[in-house]
Amino acid sequence: MKSATEIQGKSSTRIVTKWKFMYWRSAILYLLPSIILFSVFLFYPLGKTLYLSFFLTDQQGIANVFVGFENYQYILQAESFHKSIKATILFVLYTVPTGIVISLFLALLANEKVKGAGFFRTIYSSTMGVSVAASAVVWLFIFHPSMGILNQLITSIGGTSIDWLLHPDWALVSVAVTTIWMNIGFSFLILLGGLQNIDEHLYESAKISGASYFYQLRRITIPMLSPTLFFVTTVTLINAFQTFGQVDILTQGGPSESTNLIVYSIYREAFVNYQFGTASAQSIFLFLCILIVTILQFKFGERKVHYQ
Amino acid sequence: MKKLLLLFLTVSLLVFITACSSDAEGEEPNEDTAGEEQQTEESSESDDNNEEEEATDEKVEAVFWHAMSGGGQESIEAIADNFNESQDKYTIIPEFQGSYEEALTKFRSVGGTEDAPAIIQTFEVGTKYMIDSGFIEPVQSFIDEEGYDISQLEENILNYYTVDEQLYSMPFNSSTPVMLYNKDAFEEAGLDPENPPQTFEEIKEAAEKLTVKDGDNTEKYGFSILNYGWFIEELIATQGGLFVNNDNGRTEEATEAVFNGEEGLRVFELIDDMNKAGTYGNFGSNWDDIRAAFQTEDTAMYLDSSAGVASTIENAPFEVGVSYIPYSEEAERNGVIIGGASLWMSNGIDQEKQQAAWEFMKFLQTPESQAKWHIDTGYFAINPAAYEEDIVQERWEEFPQLKVTVDQLQETKPSAATQGALISVFPEARQQVVTAMENVLQGTDPQEALDQAAEETNRVIEQANRANQ
């Protein structure tokens, strides 16, 4: 690095370029830690996945037969992958809107200034403290075919017991219920934070002009909360696409592949069947899906977001 | 100021990079044991100079990866302790590595290196993969070298693990499927509890009588099978049917799945008919769930592994009967394929460690070790002489049903069908069969479901053959 006195001696244009260069350099230096982190844990694996997706791998997992786009061709016409895509889309539709509506409802409740609100805030966000594996195991017992408390409850009030995890249609619902329950804590906490950031004066003015609760909710709360809602939607959407743990524990992708969500199907291809090629192709496909959905969301969803 | 910042950044970067690389080292398994060995080597060098007697204290340590949790783990640790005390040259360190699949995945990443465990337990369907992997030393080479007599071992079990007339791995925990039934429920339904149904037709009739309905809810189903490929393989084999072509991949590399033939179709039709009649209970693909269903009398008959028989009898609040698995009346009864796992020896590790592994394998085959193993877990004794041991005889007196599992194995006719299939993509083939089974339970035509599974299996076999040329 040259000292400032030296630079002062040069012509002004050179000073500008010099400074530009220095800005660049310091910018890069500031970014370097994240660049290195991302390269090691994201960019390199992404590149390697892309590479593997064009190959067949042998039993050591080494790419040794180049097949071009065959893996992609295969997954796009394979029925089981179609089922995976369908299941994943359904799963996203089941979990994301429901989860956010429930968390928003709970956050609105917990945001009221009543006695014991702190207690409920803790309870509502407590699912954040439970690991995916632990909560999935608890739900496994709730859904248990012969001893599950849910079926006992239903039969005790005279209903017919349901094959929660054993019927293809119900299995996806069961996994979705579990996921919603697990995600509520996180969404709730973020939304509650957002609610508490809304300026009190807005509500005071609204009250003075005699606005009803729902009018306030529609005209003040939701618009002011929209950046937070947007964030929560984006994050839960990506999370829903990447669901793995609960599927692994509750259903292992079954019955009849009805809960074989894309990430689980990738796992099975790669680590049970050792077909790293097709697994990589599926990963790239998932990456593109999430990318497109996120871009669309930013393009159309963000228009409705009101930044203060 | 900027210089300072730069300096700080460079330093923190350096720290970060070194932290990363040490992390990577930390991922290698067995680091601790490797460190210990180095220590012992160093100390033994110095000991050599001082006293020769102390050198004999230095034991060769060999790591043993297994996939037995619960009672099996306790038993393995006790047997390893017995071995370590029985001699002063070798120490076996048993390490639990998760399920068979998980242990195998871990082994893939260290196989062929110095960090590989001396012994790894791998399930029967991993046999072909292990042979092809190039990470293992066939135990046959030790048998030949020493002239070890393996004829004392159970022939039907050796049969499975013998490929091209070489015994690649040492059988260890072997099990077969059996049918368990609720004797009390048999009496209630007016069936003879001492004469359980043996053919598919008889099963259907008995299940009809055993099923108890309360309105729309079925309180008790007649018959159930776990949604697990192994049972389908067994039901096909007991009719003499093959799973894949080329004599189940034994005479030549298998190229095509044939489990969608008539034998497979009979099994699937049985499931389909009973499911439609409402006498077949579906309890999913989890072993514990179907066992719980039997215990809570939600199903009256089901297929289980012989390794689960003892605990089921002990826990059940009713009399439990054990019988052979059913067969189709259109075929003869051929017996069962051996399931379970065997022990493989790594190559690429010290010869001393291989020797330790070999000594331990021999120790495991002694009637005493096998007797303990058999009564602790319900797995078969690899060495039939174990059945003569007092502890086994006592146990059999207490649970006469345990003997049924042994009889079924010993009555098995050796053939390509009962030898079991040999394909490297077995885990995937199993998954396809399970999916087909689940599809049938949802109303898909049995033949269609089987054909679909066979087609998918063919594709992965073909792909594996292409990739591993």
Side-chain angles (χ1 to χ4, degrees), chain B residues 23-214:
Chain B
D23 260 10
E25 275 165 30
E27 273 174 19
E28 286 170 27
N30 295 338
E31 200 190 27
D32 296 3
T33 46
E36 274 169 37
E37 274 146 30
Q38 247 174 17
Q39 270 187 351
T40 44
E41 270 169 38
E42 278 165 28
S43 56
S44 69
E45 272 172 36
S46 55
D47 281 346
D48 277 356
N49 303 333
N50 302 334
E51 270 176 295
E52 269 196 36
E53 274 184 23
E54 267 205 43
T56 53
D57 281 355
E58 302 302 334
K59 293 184 174 182
V60 178
E61 289 184 345
V63 176
F64 169 26
W65 280 10
H66 64 85
M68 302 273 97
S69 52
Q73 183 171 13
E74 281 167 31
S75 188
I76 280 187
E77 276 162 11
I79 295 172
D81 281 345
N82 288 345
F83 172 74
N84 294 340
E85 280 160 25
S86 72
Q87 41 71 45
D88 52 11
K89 273 165 98 179
Y90 309 108
T91 308
I92 291 289
I93 308 163
E95 283 177 7
F96 174 63
Q97 294 290 346
S99 67
Y100 291 133
E101 285 89 348
E102 285 163 349
L104 190 59
T105 306
K106 288 181 193 171
F107 183 72
R108 273 168 181 273
S109 56
V110 294
T113 70
E114 288 246 324
D115 296 316
I119 310 175
I120 172 168
Q121 182 191 23
T122 299
F123 57 175
E124 83 281 20
V125 296
T127 302
K128 175 78 171 144
Y129 165 73
M130 291 299 269
I131 294 172
D132 293 345
S133 72
F135 297 152
I136 54 102
E137 181 75 38
V139 292
Q140 187 75 42
S141 49
F142 281 83
I143 292 170
D144 292 345
E145 200 178 306
E146 203 170 290
Y148 181 68
D149 179 24
I150 54 166
S151 64
Q152 51 168 325
L153 306 181
E154 176 79 47
E155 191 199 343
N156 284 315
I157 298 178
L158 286 178
N159 236 336
Y160 190 102
Y161 297 104
T162 305
V163 179
D164 297 333
E165 293 176 12
Q166 279 217 42
L167 187 65
Y168 274 89
S169 60
M170 196 55 113
F172 174 51
N173 56 321
S174 293
S175 54
T176 56
V178 283
M179 189 176 80
L180 301 189
Y181 60 97
N182 183 336
K183 283 190 176 177
D184 294 2
F186 265 55
E187 267 168 28
E188 275 168 38
L191 293 162
D192 179 6
E194 300 312 319
N195 193 13
Q198 286 300 292
T199 65
F200 288 177
E201 278 306 318
E202 286 170 25
I203 291 272
K204 264 191 229 174
E205 282 165 27
E208 200 76 45
K209 288 180 189 155
L210 286 162
T211 303
V212 180
K213 282 195 179 161
D214 172 31

Side-chain angles (χ1 to χ4, degrees), chain A residues 30 58-59 64 146 256 274, chain B residues 5 108 133 298 438 452 467-468:
Chain A
Y30 279 116
D58 69 1
Q59 278 160 347
N64 61 353
S146 45
S256 304
Y274 300 115
Chain B
L5 213 96
R108 273 168 181 273
S133 72
D298 284 346
E438 286 166 346
Q452 214 179 352
N468 292 301

Side-chain angles (χ1 to χ4, degrees), chain A residues 87-266:
Chain A
T88 311
I89 293 171
L90 272 179
F91 181 77
V92 168
L93 291 179
Y94 287 170
T95 53
V96 177
T98 333
I100 289 175
V101 168
I102 296 176
S103 330
L104 181 63
F105 175 69
L106 292 178
L108 286 171
L109 283 184
N111 195 35
E112 295 297 318
K113 285 173 190 60
V114 286
K115 254 193 178 171
F119 172 73
F120 286 102
R121 283 175 197 172
T122 319
I123 291 289
Y124 294 154
S125 55
S126 62
T127 57
M128 260 185 91
V130 190
S131 72
V132 172
S135 44
V137 168
V138 171
W139 281 94
L140 190 62
F141 282 107
I142 294 176
F143 292 131
H144 197 282
S146 45
M147 302 181 306
I149 188 157
L150 208 54
N151 270 348
Q152 283 179 7
L153 216 66
I154 292 173
T155 43
S156 74
I157 56 167
T160 334
S161 59
I162 294 168
D163 283 342
W164 290 106
L165 296 171
L166 302 175
H167 192 280
D169 298 336
W170 281 109
L172 194 62
V173 174
S174 309
V175 177
V177 168
T178 312
T179 311
I180 291 169
W181 182 81
M182 286 191 303
N183 287 346
I184 279 178
F186 172 76
S187 316
F188 166 79
L189 206 66
I190 304 285
L191 289 176
L192 184 65
L195 283 175
Q196 305 215 314
N197 267 340
I198 300 176
D199 203 335
E200 273 300 308
H201 296 300
L202 293 172
Y203 291 108
E204 272 169 31
S205 324
K207 262 180 208 153
I208 292 166
S209 44
S212 73
Y213 177 80
F214 285 101
Y215 192 79
Q216 285 180 33
L217 184 70
R218 205 150 49 87
R219 292 296 163 131
I220 303 173
T221 313
I222 301 292
M224 297 302 283
L225 198 60
S226 55
T228 321
L229 273 174
F230 183 67
F231 169 76
V232 168
T233 318
T234 312
V235 171
T236 44
L237 196 75
I238 292 176
N239 270 342
F241 270 112
Q242 299 182 339
T243 301
F244 172 76
Q246 50 273 50
V247 176
D248 190 35
I249 290 171
L250 289 174
T251 60
Q252 286 94 42
S256 304
E257 298 186 317
S258 60
T259 57
N260 194 9
L261 304 186
I262 292 186
V263 175
Y264 191 76
S265 138
I266 292 170

Side-chain angles (χ1 to χ4, degrees), chain A residues 1 19 22-23 25-26 29-30 32-33 36-37 40-41 56-61 64-67 70-71 74 78-80 83 140 144-147 155 159-161 163 166-168 249 251-252 254-257 268-269 271-276 278, chain B residues 2-3 5-6 9 12-13 16-17 20 101-102 104-105 108 128-129 132-135 216-217 221 227 282-286 288-289 292-294 296 298 424-425 427-429 431-432 434-435 438-440 442 452 456 459-460 463-464 466-469:
Chain A
M1 199 198 281
W19 273 104
M22 296 234 328
Y23 276 134
R25 195 165 60 177
S26 26
L29 275 171
Y30 279 116
L32 210 52
I36 290 177
L37 264 177
V40 171
F41 294 109
L56 288 183
T57 53
D58 69 1
Q59 278 160 347
Q60 277 82 40
N64 61 353
V65 180
F66 179 79
V67 293
E70 196 190 292
N71 287 327
Y74 166 70
E79 203 191 328
S80 70
K83 274 189 185 169
L140 190 62
H144 197 282
S146 45
M147 302 181 306
T155 43
T160 334
S161 59
D163 283 342
L166 302 175
H167 192 280
I249 290 171
T251 60
Q252 286 94 42
S256 304
E257 298 186 317
R268 216 162 59 184
E269 275 301 295
F271 300 109
V272 179
N273 305 335
Y274 300 115
Q275 302 279 347
F276 291 103
T278 30
Chain B
K2 261 189 179 164
K3 273 187 180 170
L5 213 96
L6 246 175
L9 265 176
S12 54
L13 244 173
F16 170 73
I17 290 168
C20 266
E101 285 89 348
E102 285 163 349
L104 190 59
T105 306
R108 273 168 181 273
K128 175 78 171 144
Y129 165 73
D132 293 345
S133 72
F135 297 152
D216 278 347
N217 276 328
Y221 288 99
N227 293 344
N282 173 15
F283 296 97
S285 55
N286 186 322
D288 294 333
D289 288 352
F294 184 64
T296 54
D298 284 346
S424 58
V425 293
E428 180 145 24
Q431 187 55 49
Q432 296 300 342
V434 170
T435 304
E438 286 166 346
N439 284 340
V440 167
Q442 297 309 324
Q452 214 179 352
E456 271 299 305
R459 193 193 74 86
V460 286
Q463 228 179 23
R466 254 171 81 193
N468 292 301
Q469 272 162 6

Side-chain angles (χ1 to χ4, degrees), chain B residues 326-343:
Chain B
Y327 62 99
S328 168
E329 40 285 296
E330 289 159 62
E332 254 179 74
R333 172 177 262 151
N334 279 265
V336 285
I337 314 172
I338 199 78
S342 64
L343 304 182

Side-chain angles (χ1 to χ4, degrees), chain B residues 124 175-177 228-234 287 305 337 339 430:
Chain B
E124 83 281 20
S175 54
T176 56
Y228 189 54
W230 185 52
F231 290 110
I232 304 297
E233 290 153 31
E234 294 285 357
W287 290 85
S305 156
I337 314 172
R430 257 191 189 172

